Amino acid sequence: MKIKQLYFVVVFLTIMLNLEAQDDTDAVIIGHVVSGGEHIPFVNIYLEDSNHGTTTDVTGHYMMVDLPLGEYTLVARMIGYEIQKKQISLKSGETLEINFDLNETRIRVNEVVVTGTKTFKRQTESAVIVNVLDRKTIKNVAAQTVSETLNFQPGLRMEVDCQTCNYSQLRMNGLGGAYSQILVNGRSVFSPLTGLYGLEQLPAEMVERIEVVRGGASALYGSSAIGGTVNIITQMPQRNSYEITSSNSVVGDGAADYMVNGTLTALSQRRNTGVALYTSLRQRDAYDHNNDNFSELPALRNNSFGLNTFFNVSERQKIEANFSSMHEYRYGGEMTDGPAYLAKQSEERTHNVLMGGLDYEITSDNYNTTFVVYVAGQYTTRDHFTGIAPYDESELQQYNNNPPYGNSKNYTLQAGTQLNQTLNNFLSGTNVLTFGAEYLTDDVYDEIEAYNYLIDQNSRNFGAFAQSDWEVFRKLNLLSGVRADKHNFVNEIIINPRVSLLYKPNENTQLRLSWSTGFRAPQAFDADMHIAFAGGGIQTVSLADDLKEERSQSLSTSLNWDKPTEKHIYGITLEGFYTRLQNAFILEETGKDTEGNSLMEKRNGGLSNVFGGTFEARANYNRLFQIEGGITLQRSRHEEPVEWSEQLLGTKDYLRSPDAYGYFTTSWTPGNRFSASLSGIYTGSMLVPHYGLAGDPGTPGQDVLFNSPEYLDVTLKLAYIINFKRLDSSFELFGGAGNLLNQYQDDFDTGRFRDSGYVYGPARPQTFFFGLRLFN
């Protein structure tokens, strides 16, 4: 407790020393912002390194009053346009007229990001490389959910791991889903249970952008950030707007998938208060690919609602809040009417998820100190069924009398504080010091009485961190930090340092080097809570009694280069990464229970290594044609074989981890109305475990370690916009096709005893879609 008390005393004294009253100065700036001869409304205008700012009104004009005196940089910024800066001198009683003429962006290579350092920085100035998926890219790849967007980032790969329920996970730099920290608006509200289906349940329309930090350089976020961090940043109001999108898809040979999304943003007249509302509805039929009357895509009924809002209480105080509610019904298995337990094999899930957060931020008068207090959380209830009806009549009667229904309850709560202190003359450079402390608790209860299956887990973690972001001189930045965690499943306090170096030999080039350590607590994660079908029964995961925490060391280096000219821009990124895991978590089959169900145990498996490299390239010609792509080459190996099956010898290679995977996106925009985009996801061969059942025609006779074929999942989208100037609105018609090459898996197991984990390839078969969008 003494450490906590000392921390809060330091925070309080720092704020008190920096909060000073500010007098009226009568220093005024007026002006307008144009692009291509037209005025632009709702452009952000602000003094750099200060909290003084405004936005242009509906006519593209702005005014700022009572500004601080002295030399400043005035910035005009709006998503979709190049940032412009002007040096100004503010004097008491004087009015300046400053006008801006902005150019539309080609490729966004210098967005403001927050995930790499927990403070706002430009991409080219961050010592930790941060990739950004913006709304334009999300629309171009025709993504309906957050899970469908993440493949279009280097080093990331979304995979479906269950033929029946379509449970999926995100893999980063060759590591499984439990090694990735998923954040919503910077907060760790994605619990292990939420991670099973959560990325597919979040509609893409709610997202403003997604920031990705690959590798252990994101260790300031605590346990589970070994593989990297994904920060899903939802929309905040920037202007008064609305958007309604209706999308209709035909999946495979006729299954329907319908989705409608709506967003509404509003700002007060003074633009110091605003709200963004979104809602979504999705209905998808079950899809059977191999005509055995068992689905490969489950039926979905999903609806969600949410809001983001902010209140600028004063020039130096801000409150932000967000809330969302989601309901989803999911059913996969035998395609028959009636309750789930009467099906020969099925999985049924009904989720209700509430999620929200609240941030309060106060800044000192000299804008060198910022203090943030935040709280966030989620609450999930889930009713579920997972069962296979036996052949034997007496066993079937017993099964029907006590069907394997279950229920889950899960809550996550995070609360913390953060203090940022800027030292402007720190050894001839500028240093931003960041101190923080946070408490995170997650409680999950998941039970199926018929299987004697129970997870009753309460994890609690208190973490404190300190960071120095030191710009030694204009070309060199040194980022160093340390985080201390006390987890209730680990006996001692765990200390994890990290160091990152950024060197900019010229304005177009950044060289980075990062080293960090991390850990994962010995607890159940998302994959451990998924009950699969395998070997003629179910397959469950338990934790070894002597399971210890997993430790990591990560090293990465990268070269980033972009060259802009008058009509085009092109660039490349090269990155190498290496992660060494100590006491690595592994899954090994330990036998079968009295009912013939497969038992897997999560154990410590010694050392393992993940290493490889990523290459990215991007280009844009005259804002007409843009192309971007990336390829990752890697190896993931244990130093000792892992016995995933009792029937076969173990393997040192990671399962479901291809040595090569990548993506590409292209877009063609010949004018303001028509656009076309072509995108694709490449996945190389990987080892996929296949559990067999002797005597069953729908499965192999024994367990097999299968080398999957490589595949390319290509999506085409065409769109045309019609403008209605009298209504101040536009209407977009769009259509296209997903999995154009139709490379959907063609060797699924069949029947009630199928191995539901034997899945690879594109997430859906060839799909044709069309829709419309109304917006202003």
Side-chain angles (χ1 to χ4, degrees):
M1 289 301 296
K2 290 183 179 180
I3 295 177
K4 296 181 186 179
Q5 292 171 352
L6 179 60
Y7 169 78
F8 286 110
V9 168
V10 171
V11 170
F12 178 79
L13 291 176
T14 304
I15 293 175
M16 291 301 103
L17 288 172
N18 283 277
L19 293 180
E20 303 169 355
Q22 180 172 331
D23 299 327
D24 293 344
T25 63
D26 290 328
V28 178
I29 305 176
I30 61 173
H32 67 243
V33 181
V34 299
S35 178
E38 295 186 1
H39 285 86
I40 312 174
F42 314 118
V43 178
N44 295 304
I45 309 293
Y46 59 91
L47 297 180
E48 196 169 47
D49 299 326
S50 83
N51 239 22
H52 290 274
T54 186
T55 59
T56 56
D57 60 22
V58 293
T59 69
H61 293 79
Y62 73 95
M63 181 172 65
M64 302 168 64
V65 300
D66 289 328
L67 299 172
L69 307 181
E71 304 293 325
Y72 287 93
T73 300
L74 185 65
V75 181
R77 177 182 181 272
M78 185 176 183
I79 294 176
Y81 297 86
E82 294 177 0
I83 295 171
Q84 195 171 118
K85 300 181 180 181
K86 295 189 177 184
Q87 301 299 316
I88 61 171
S89 178
L90 295 172
K91 299 178 182 179
S92 179
E94 289 190 2
T95 298
L96 299 179
E97 181 176 354
I98 308 295
N99 299 318
F100 292 92
D101 190 347
L102 303 184
N103 295 319
E104 290 189 41
T105 55
R106 301 177 179 92
I107 298 178
R108 295 173 189 165
V109 296
N110 202 19
E111 285 287 290
V112 175
V113 294
V114 66
T115 309
T117 62
K118 283 201 171 188
T119 58
F120 289 98
K121 298 203 72 173
R122 299 207 173 280
Q123 286 174 279
T124 57
E125 297 172 358
S126 173
V128 176
I129 191 166
V130 181
N131 289 82
V132 177
L133 263 169
D134 57 25
R135 284 181 62 80
K136 183 178 179 181
T137 301
I138 292 172
K139 289 184 183 298
N140 284 343
V141 300
Q144 292 180 300
T145 66
V146 170
S147 66
E148 295 174 5
T149 69
L150 294 175
N151 283 306
F152 297 96
Q153 282 291 290
L156 273 63
R157 191 173 67 84
M158 285 296 305
E159 69 175 26
V160 174
D161 284 345
C162 181
Q163 180 186 4
T164 306
C165 73
N166 278 197
Y167 145 67
S168 60
Q169 64 172 306
L170 171 67
R171 292 181 178 268
M172 298 182 69
N173 281 0
L175 293 168
Y179 292 88
S180 305
Q181 185 81 296
I182 307 296
L183 309 175
V184 179
N185 296 318
R187 308 300 174 219
S188 304
V189 293
F190 247 64
S191 71
L193 182 65
T194 310
L196 282 170
Y197 308 101
L199 291 174
E200 189 181 4
Q201 292 168 342
L202 293 176
E205 290 292 330
M206 68 178 281
V207 177
E208 178 63 38
R209 69 183 188 277
I210 300 174
E211 297 182 3
V212 178
V213 176
R214 301 189 301 273
S218 54
L220 279 189
Y221 290 97
S223 177
S224 303
I226 294 173
T229 298
V230 173
N231 190 5
I232 302 165
I233 300 172
T234 55
Q235 287 192 61
M236 289 296 287
Q238 296 187 11
R239 62 187 185 94
N240 297 321
S241 68
Y242 74 90
E243 182 173 327
I244 301 171
T245 304
S246 175
S247 177
N248 303 268
S249 302
V250 179
V251 181
D253 58 2
D257 188 357
Y258 171 71
M259 192 168 190
V260 60
N261 298 286
T263 59
L264 176 68
T265 62
L267 292 173
S268 65
Q269 189 172 1
R270 294 185 177 182
R271 308 194 185 283
N272 57 2
T273 303
V275 64
L277 304 172
Y278 66 86
T279 185
S280 177
L281 171 69
R282 185 181 190 185
Q283 296 186 354
R284 186 180 73 188
D285 296 337
Y287 171 72
D288 175 18
H289 187 67
N290 53 11
N291 298 316
D292 65 345
N293 203 39
F294 289 80
S295 65
E296 274 65 59
L297 295 181
L300 294 178
R301 302 290 183 269
N302 180 304
N303 64 77
S304 58
F305 166 81
L307 65 86
N308 273 356
T309 185
F310 73 90
F311 306 89
N312 289 336
V313 181
S314 68
E315 287 187 355
R316 297 181 292 104
Q317 298 183 73
K318 179 172 64 174
I319 297 173
E320 292 186 356
N322 62 84
F323 170 80
S324 65
S325 172
M326 190 280 300
H327 170 82
E328 184 193 73
Y329 173 79
R330 176 183 296 249
Y331 175 87
E334 186 185 16
M335 298 169 64
T336 182
D337 295 330
Y341 78 93
L342 293 181
K344 295 176 183 178
Q345 180 251 39
S346 69
E347 290 190 58
E348 184 181 55
R349 310 279 186 263
T350 301
H351 289 87
N352 290 286
V353 182
L354 299 176
M355 189 178 297
L358 181 68
D359 288 33
Y360 170 75
E361 178 181 307
I362 185 170
T363 304
S364 64
D365 279 346
N366 60 11
Y367 304 103
N368 288 331
T369 305
T370 302
F371 179 64
V372 181
V373 181
Y374 57 87
V375 62
Q378 67 85 25
Y379 178 70
T380 299
T381 60
R382 181 180 71 159
D383 297 323
H384 56 94
F385 173 87
T386 305
I388 304 176
Y391 276 125
D392 183 82
E393 286 296 329
S394 61
E395 292 179 357
L396 179 61
Q397 184 62 44
Q398 184 179 2
Y399 172 88
N400 290 337
N401 291 337
N402 185 27
Y405 282 95
N407 67 89
S408 310
K409 291 184 179 180
N410 172 228
Y411 70 81
T412 306
L413 180 65
Q414 182 182 32
T417 62
Q418 181 173 321
L419 174 71
N420 303 319
Q421 177 66 52
T422 301
L423 306 177
N424 290 315
N425 295 298
F426 184 84
L427 300 178
S428 75
T430 300
N431 196 346
V432 179
L433 301 177
T434 300
F435 305 94
E438 59 187 18
Y439 176 77
L440 177 66
T441 181
D442 181 78
D443 186 275
V444 58
Y445 181 89
D446 188 20
E447 182 179 28
I448 304 177
E449 290 185 2
Y451 294 147
N452 293 317
Y453 172 83
L454 175 65
I455 292 180
D456 188 2
Q457 175 179 276
N458 181 272
S459 62
R460 301 180 301 277
N461 188 83
F462 177 79
F465 55 88
Q467 176 181 267
S468 166
D469 188 359
W470 179 24
E471 186 181 74
V472 183
F473 50 88
R474 189 177 62 86
K475 293 186 176 183
L476 184 65
N477 182 277
L478 176 64
L479 178 71
S480 56
V482 63
R483 178 176 172 118
D485 287 277
K486 180 61 184 76
H487 198 287
N488 64 315
F489 292 163
V490 181
N491 292 328
E492 70 273 9
I493 295 176
I494 296 181
I495 308 295
N496 286 310
R498 79 164 182 182
V499 178
S500 298
L501 189 69
L502 166 65
Y503 176 64
K504 298 182 288 186
N506 55 60
E507 64 179 1
N508 299 324
T509 309
Q510 303 94 47
L511 300 170
R512 293 178 173 89
L513 180 67
S514 293
W515 171 84
S516 66
T517 64
F519 84 104
R520 281 207 305 158
Q523 66 183 79
F525 293 96
D526 46 8
D528 308 322
M529 299 180 186
H530 176 251
I531 297 177
F533 296 114
I538 64 166
Q539 186 177 77
T540 59
V541 177
S542 62
L543 306 184
D545 293 335
D546 58 348
L547 190 66
K548 298 185 294 185
E549 74 274 7
E550 183 180 42
R551 303 289 187 105
S552 71
Q553 291 198 52
S554 298
L555 181 69
S556 66
T557 182
S558 66
L559 162 68
N560 192 85
W561 177 80
D562 290 282
K563 177 65 175 178
T565 67
E566 182 179 354
K567 287 193 174 183
H568 60 261
I569 184 173
Y570 49 90
I572 60 170
T573 299
L574 294 170
E575 181 184 21
F577 58 87
Y578 172 77
T579 298
R580 184 173 180 84
L581 301 174
Q582 184 179 6
N583 296 323
F585 294 155
I586 61 172
L587 283 178
E588 293 189 320
E589 189 174 33
T590 60
K592 296 184 182 296
D593 64 13
T594 57
E595 304 297 325
N597 297 317
S598 174
L599 301 176
M600 306 292 289
E601 186 175 73
K602 186 175 181 177
R603 302 168 171 172
N604 293 115
L607 299 174
S608 69
N609 301 282
V610 179
F611 56 92
T614 293
F615 173 74
E616 304 168 58
R618 50 198 167 267
N620 184 298
Y621 176 72
N622 205 26
R623 304 184 184 92
L624 296 176
F625 181 76
Q626 179 171 313
I627 184 169
E628 183 175 351
I631 185 73
T632 299
L633 305 175
Q634 57 139 83
R635 289 298 305 273
S636 303
R637 287 180 60 85
H638 299 281
E639 293 198 354
E640 297 294 332
V642 176
E643 298 178 356
W644 63 274
S645 165
E646 281 193 315
Q647 299 179 6
L648 302 175
L649 295 175
T651 178
K652 293 183 179 181
D653 291 312
Y654 277 32
L655 302 182
R656 309 188 68 89
S657 183
D659 290 344
Y661 53 96
Y663 76 99
F664 73 88
T665 63
T666 63
S667 62
W668 179 49
T669 311
N672 295 326
R673 295 188 174 186
F674 176 77
S675 63
S677 60
L678 186 71
S679 56
I681 303 163
Y682 167 76
T683 303
S685 178
M686 58 184 172
L687 294 176
V688 181
H690 195 177
Y691 292 91
L693 178 63
D696 182 69
T699 63
Q702 65 176 15
D703 297 349
V704 178
L705 192 56
F706 177 73
N707 273 293
S708 68
E710 62 182 2
Y711 65 88
L712 181 64
D713 185 359
V714 179
T715 297
L716 171 68
K717 180 181 178 182
L718 306 175
Y720 187 81
I721 295 176
I722 303 172
N723 297 314
F724 299 98
K725 292 186 177 180
R726 289 177 61 89
L727 301 177
D728 191 27
S729 297
S730 298
F731 185 78
E732 181 186 65
L733 296 171
F734 63 87
N739 194 2
L740 266 176
L741 305 180
N742 202 18
Q743 297 197 348
Y744 198 54
Q745 182 177 344
D746 60 2
D747 64 342
F748 287 108
D749 281 1
T750 60
R752 74 175 75 187
F753 297 123
R754 63 187 186 175
D755 175 10
S756 64
Y758 180 60
V759 182
Y760 61 87
R764 58 184 178 179
Q766 190 175 71
T767 300
F768 295 93
F769 62 88
F770 62 94
L772 55 90
R773 182 168 67 103
L774 182 65
F775 63 99
N776 71 340

